[in-house]
């Protein structure tokens, strides 16, 4: 367990620059907005001028508690913040006063929201009630969640970029902005114990660095009091140490690639901002763990924007290339810097939900040529228990396979110990379906009633009708990685409950000469039906003991196994969009046996 700041004796006290001497992006000699990027921002802001500010009534807030739907409230909530950010950027760039009136209106609307905590996170409020309405008024303490902190950062950027422009209308706006952000975020952070800080000794997830990066930006851009400025920074540094202390040495993020931008990347945002706030005195970019955290993003990329989507993640994920390039330069990682340039090609600037990163991207010119990259053909995460192998160092050519072990109590867990995926030329052949649209059920005691959370809808078998179970005790063991072949073998029988009757179940996966070979060896207490499942994004066709798959690939299986092709409706908008189909296909290969070894090849 590494507590990087504490180990290196780095403290906020005496190192945090006063408000008057601080500036963003201190390593940039002449930071200014990129004209091409800001032209697009201005164009978008002009369209938003004609758009009404969304309405957020109490009944819409309460809908999550009543029906479980979170998107109906979140869409207008985020739209308000997108509008404020766009107007502030456009006005700061143009300096013509065209956007200040509408900016004032949308910022005022955000002030008037009773709480900045979204309904799905209302349980983080110290005065949460069963009625689904945040009970924060008068002197009552506000809670802090991902998006209340993001709101604070948005308002901090508004203050930083356009405070003077707003003051020309009336100083009330900036005065209230400072009051609301202080009252709703700084006061509760300094006076309450929130689970996501890790100060109770608990392991934390992406909430920790994501919130801390935005609280740090709020402090940097708005807090003039030197005591509060230092005290906030010191507590945030402790919180970040709590986060990284549980991070595995291999840098693996068990939440999946779609959460890397909020987890490891937000940790990096915080490190960059601390560097700015202290004039470079707090600098831990050379720590090997920091480098490994960044390189996870490269190693979990398949090709283009396709990723190894174990856990709550879709099959495609935009990676913020400008940030990744800086991550690589700061940590001395050539592969990360190259990957960042590749991901930057095409003009995306990344999410505005990480505000420091977003601002940095707006001063970073576009990448005009795709440099490409050479990918590692054999990768092993010894802590995360994930194997990655590819036939060709060119990510867009050849066969690719990834397999995971681990346990079924990971953050954003699916019951998927032993699951694997196969791609060819960077395109899906056998898939991890991914996660559906988030609802109240997603993060409830009924999570594993959702089909896409169950091992039966991953590339894993049911044993006697029994699937894997969730919980830390259900895990892989005895993982053996072969550095010569890049293959892995592990015991996954412990991922199933006792009623499955498994004495031993090993799965071995290896990629050799363009052929993926998966061998399952089982010993059971008695004869049971073993139903191996394989998930396909297109309709498979059966010919003897060979199945035609996507991308011209074929699966050959042991003739003792009885095949069946099942088509089923996904009944989830998110999954349907990810795979561009209202249905998916599940291949069944069944046998009744007490013991045996069964091999499947894909080529």
């Amino acid at each position: 367990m590494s507590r990087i700041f504490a180990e290196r004796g780095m403290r906020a006290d005496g190192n945090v620059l006063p408000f008057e001497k601080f500036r963003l992006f201190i390593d940039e000699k002449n930071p200014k907005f990129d004209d091409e990027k800001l032209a697009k921002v201005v164009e978008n802001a002009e369209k938003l001028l004609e758009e009404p500010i969304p309405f957020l009534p109490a009944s819409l807030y309460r809908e999550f508690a009543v029906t479980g739907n979170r998107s109906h409230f979140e869409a207008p909530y985020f739209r308000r913040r997108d509008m404020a950010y766009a107007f502030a950027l456009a006005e700061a760039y143009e300096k013509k006063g065209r956007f200040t009136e509408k900016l004032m209106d949308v910022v005022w609307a955000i002030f008037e929201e009773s709480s900045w905590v979204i309904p799905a996170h209302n349980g983080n409020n110290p005065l949460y009630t069963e009625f689904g309405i945040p009970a924060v008024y008068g002197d009552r303490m506000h809670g802090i969640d991902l998006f209340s902190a993001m709101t604070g950062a948005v308002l901090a950027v508004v203050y930083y970029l356009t405070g003077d422009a707003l003051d020309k209308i009336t100083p009330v706006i900036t005065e209230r902005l400072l009051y609301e952000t202080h009252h709703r975020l700084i006061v509760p952070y300094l006076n309450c114990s929130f689970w996501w800080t890790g100060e109770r000794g608990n392991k934390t997830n992406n909430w920790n660095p994501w919130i801390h990066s935005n609280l740090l930006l709020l402090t940097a851009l708005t807090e003039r009091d030197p005591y509060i400025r230092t005290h906030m920074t010191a507590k945030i540094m402790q919180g970040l140490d709590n986060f990284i202390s549980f991070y595995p040495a291999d840098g693996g993020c068990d939440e999946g690639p779609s959460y890397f931008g909020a987890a490891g990347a937000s940790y990096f945002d915080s490190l960059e901002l601390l560097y700015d706030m202290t004039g470079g005195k707090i600098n831990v970019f050379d720590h090997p763990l920091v480098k490994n955290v960044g390189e996870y993003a490269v190693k979990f990329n398949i090709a283009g924007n396709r990723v190894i989507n174990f856990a709550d993640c879709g099959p495609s994920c935009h990676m913020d290339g400008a940030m990744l390039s800086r991550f690589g330069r700061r940590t001395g990682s050539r592969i990360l810097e190259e990957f960042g340039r590749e991901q930057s090609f095409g003009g995306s600037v990344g999410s505005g939900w990480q505000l420091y990163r977003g601002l940095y991207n707006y001063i970073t010119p576009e990448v005009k040529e795709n440099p490409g990259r050479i990918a590692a053909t054999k990768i092993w995460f010894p802590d995360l228990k994930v194997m990655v192998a590819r036939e060709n160092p060119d990510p867009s050519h050849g066969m690719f396979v990834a397999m995971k072990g681990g346990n079924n109590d990971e953050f954003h867990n699916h019951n998927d110990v032993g699951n694997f995926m196969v791609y060819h030329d960077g395109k899906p052949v056998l898939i991890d379906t991914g996660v559906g649209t988030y609802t109240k059920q997603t993060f409830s005691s009924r999570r594993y009633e959702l089909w896409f959370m169950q091992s039966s809808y991953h590339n894993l078998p049911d044993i006697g009708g029994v699937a894997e179970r969730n919980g830390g005790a259900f895990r892989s063991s005895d993982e053996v990685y072969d550095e010569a072949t890049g293959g892995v073998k592990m015991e996954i029988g412990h991922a199933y409950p006792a009623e499955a009757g498994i004495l031993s179940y090993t799965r071995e996966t290896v990629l050799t000469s363009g052929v993926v070979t998966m061998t399952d060896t089982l010993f059971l207490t008695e004869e049971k039906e073993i139903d191996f499942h394989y998930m396909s994004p297109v309709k498979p066709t059966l010919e003897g003991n060979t199945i035609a798959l996507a991308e011209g690939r074929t699966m050959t299986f042991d003739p003792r196994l009885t095949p069946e092709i099942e088509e089923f409706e996904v009944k989830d908008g998110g999954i349907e969009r990810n795979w561009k189909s209202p249905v998916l296909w599940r291949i069944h290969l069944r046998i009744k046996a007490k013991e045996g070894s069964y091999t499947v090849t894909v080529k």
Side-chain angles (χ1 to χ4, degrees):
M1 294 178 68
S2 182
R3 303 180 65 83
I4 295 177
F5 297 132
E7 289 172 5
R8 295 194 169 183
M10 291 184 172
R11 298 167 51 87
D13 190 28
N15 288 319
V16 176
L17 295 173
F19 179 84
E20 296 76 15
K21 294 184 178 181
F22 163 80
R23 79 169 179 88
L24 289 173
F25 322 132
I26 60 170
D27 280 353
E28 303 294 333
K29 292 182 179 179
N30 184 28
K32 62 180 182 178
F33 286 131
D34 179 77
D35 292 332
E36 189 173 348
K37 291 182 178 181
L38 265 294
K40 296 175 184 177
V41 172
V42 171
E43 182 180 357
N44 178 53
E46 288 173 336
K47 294 175 182 177
L48 291 174
L49 283 174
E50 306 303 318
E51 184 177 312
I53 297 169
F55 185 45
L56 288 176
S59 57
L60 194 60
Y61 196 105
R62 188 170 177 267
E63 183 180 358
F64 175 77
V66 176
T67 70
N69 183 289
R70 57 186 289 174
S71 59
H72 290 166
F73 178 89
E74 290 179 14
Y77 171 96
F78 291 127
R79 191 63 171 172
R80 285 183 169 189
R81 285 136 182 87
D82 289 343
M83 292 171 79
Y85 189 42
F87 292 144
L89 285 167
E91 181 56 41
Y93 178 67
E94 274 199 352
K95 297 182 173 62
K96 295 179 180 179
R98 285 204 298 156
F99 302 101
T100 51
E101 288 283 343
K102 194 64 177 283
L103 173 60
M104 176 183 67
D105 287 345
V106 72
V107 166
W108 188 265
I110 293 171
F111 294 161
E112 292 296 298
E113 293 171 15
S114 294
S115 174
W116 295 338
V117 174
I118 64 170
H121 298 161
N122 199 20
N124 288 278
N125 193 304
L127 293 170
Y128 171 78
T129 74
E130 62 180 326
F131 304 109
I133 297 293
V136 280
Y137 38 82
D139 294 330
R140 293 180 174 180
M141 193 78 76
H142 284 257
I144 301 176
D145 78 326
L146 297 172
F147 302 116
S148 63
M150 181 269 285
T151 300
V154 168
L155 294 175
V157 170
V158 168
Y159 180 76
Y160 178 75
L161 295 179
T162 58
D164 291 343
L166 289 170
D167 282 345
K168 290 178 182 178
I169 302 174
T170 171
V172 171
I173 302 300
T174 55
E175 287 174 4
R176 187 170 178 192
L177 184 153
L178 295 174
Y179 170 82
E180 295 289 353
T181 54
H182 182 84
H183 180 68
R184 297 185 189 222
L185 294 165
I186 291 176
V187 170
Y189 181 72
L190 291 177
N191 290 280
C192 295
S193 175
F194 294 100
W195 68 268
W196 44 263
T197 65
E199 60 191 65
R200 306 170 192 176
N202 57 297
K203 183 180 179 181
T204 64
N205 62 6
N206 69 86
W207 281 52
N208 179 307
W210 191 353
I211 292 175
H212 280 132
S213 66
N214 281 324
L215 291 180
L216 198 60
L217 186 62
L218 172 65
T219 303
L221 299 185
T222 67
E223 187 53 64
R224 283 177 161 79
D225 185 303
Y227 174 78
I228 296 177
R229 190 174 179 85
T230 299
H231 194 38
M232 279 289 292
T233 305
K235 187 172 181 180
I236 288 169
M237 289 174 65
Q238 291 172 358
L240 293 169
D241 259 0
N242 294 339
F243 170 74
I244 206 67
S245 70
F246 285 97
Y247 230 84
D250 62 17
C253 176
D254 65 4
E255 297 180 87
S258 65
Y259 279 93
F260 169 78
S266 287
Y267 178 73
F268 175 69
D269 292 339
S270 300
L271 297 186
E272 284 205 297
L273 189 47
L274 284 167
Y275 182 88
D276 288 349
M277 292 181 71
T278 61
K281 292 180 180 178
I282 293 182
N283 179 350
V284 296
F285 298 119
D286 63 336
H287 196 287
L289 178 54
V290 176
K291 180 179 180 180
N292 287 346
V293 167
E295 290 187 345
Y296 163 88
V298 188
K299 296 173 181 177
F300 255 60
N301 178 268
I302 299 172
N305 64 355
R306 296 187 184 273
V307 294
I308 301 170
N309 65 316
F310 299 135
D312 277 355
C313 184
S316 298
C317 178
H318 167 71
M319 292 288 181
D320 186 335
M323 175 273 297
L324 291 173
S325 291
R326 292 197 308 275
F327 209 148
R329 289 195 298 273
R330 298 273 197 192
T331 59
S333 171
R334 180 184 58 82
I335 63 169
L336 184 54
E337 187 174 358
E338 289 178 353
F339 179 62
R341 287 200 298 270
E342 179 194 72
Q343 293 291 298
S344 291
F345 180 70
S348 179
V349 297
S351 172
W353 291 358
Q354 283 85 18
L355 275 294
Y356 177 87
R357 187 187 316 169
L359 284 175
Y360 216 138
N361 289 351
Y362 280 121
I363 68 166
T364 304
E366 300 280 12
V367 173
K368 298 298 184 181
E369 295 182 7
N370 188 348
R373 65 185 172 100
I374 297 174
T377 56
K378 299 179 181 69
I379 299 170
W380 171 241
F381 287 84
D383 302 303
L384 199 59
K385 313 299 183 190
V386 170
M387 171 274 279
V388 182
R390 65 176 80 240
E391 178 186 3
N392 195 313
D394 180 347
S396 61
H397 289 89
M399 293 292 283
F400 173 96
V401 65
M403 175 180 164
K404 78 178 294 290
N407 68 82
N408 283 333
D409 192 32
E410 296 166 341
F411 283 119
H412 293 274
N413 177 71
H414 293 204
N415 287 343
D416 62 354
V417 171
N419 187 39
F420 65 89
M421 62 185 65
V422 177
Y423 279 62
H424 179 258
D425 289 351
K427 299 175 183 177
V429 178
L430 293 176
I431 62 172
D432 185 308
T433 304
V435 67
T437 303
Y438 283 171
T439 67
K440 188 176 184 179
Q441 184 179 352
T442 309
F443 300 104
S444 74
S445 59
R446 297 179 56 220
R447 176 180 176 89
Y448 295 97
E449 295 176 23
L450 296 166
W451 65 266
F452 43 80
M453 302 290 184
Q454 300 167 15
S455 63
S456 302
Y457 288 88
H458 289 75
N459 298 316
L460 290 160
D462 288 352
I463 312 294
V466 179
E468 289 189 8
R469 188 165 295 169
N470 55 293
F474 301 96
R475 61 192 308 118
S476 66
S477 63
D478 303 316
E479 300 87 359
V480 178
Y481 177 68
D482 188 329
E483 293 185 359
T485 66
V488 69
K489 182 177 182 180
M490 62 182 69
E491 171 68 45
I492 64 172
H494 302 305
Y496 291 79
E499 53 263 36
I502 300 173
L503 297 174
S504 175
Y505 174 12
T506 61
R507 168 166 280 185
E508 182 175 15
T509 300
V510 64
L511 170 60
T512 307
S513 301
V515 179
V516 177
T517 303
M518 294 148 289
T519 303
D520 293 293
T521 303
L522 298 95
F523 295 91
L524 308 178
T525 55
E526 58 183 304
E527 184 177 272
K528 293 175 179 283
E529 182 179 75
I530 305 168
D531 185 358
F532 295 102
H533 306 120
Y534 305 91
M535 305 298 295
S536 174
V538 302
K539 185 175 182 177
T541 57
L542 175 65
E543 295 181 10
N545 70 322
T546 299
I547 298 174
L549 301 172
E551 303 305 316
R553 300 304 96 193
T554 58
M555 170 192 282
T556 303
F557 56 90
D558 192 310
R560 293 174 294 170
L561 300 168
T562 301
E564 178 191 345
I565 308 297
E566 174 195 1
E567 178 180 297
F568 66 95
E569 294 183 47
V570 299
K571 297 181 179 179
D572 183 277
I575 292 177
E576 185 174 335
R577 286 189 297 274
N578 284 338
W579 298 109
K580 298 177 175 59
S581 173
V583 298
L584 289 175
W585 291 265
R586 183 166 65 153
I587 300 167
H588 298 260
L589 299 178
R590 298 187 178 98
I591 190 171
K592 284 190 175 181
K594 182 179 179 180
E595 60 185 56
S597 186
Y598 310 95
T599 296
V600 168
T601 61
V602 179
K603 61 182 179 180

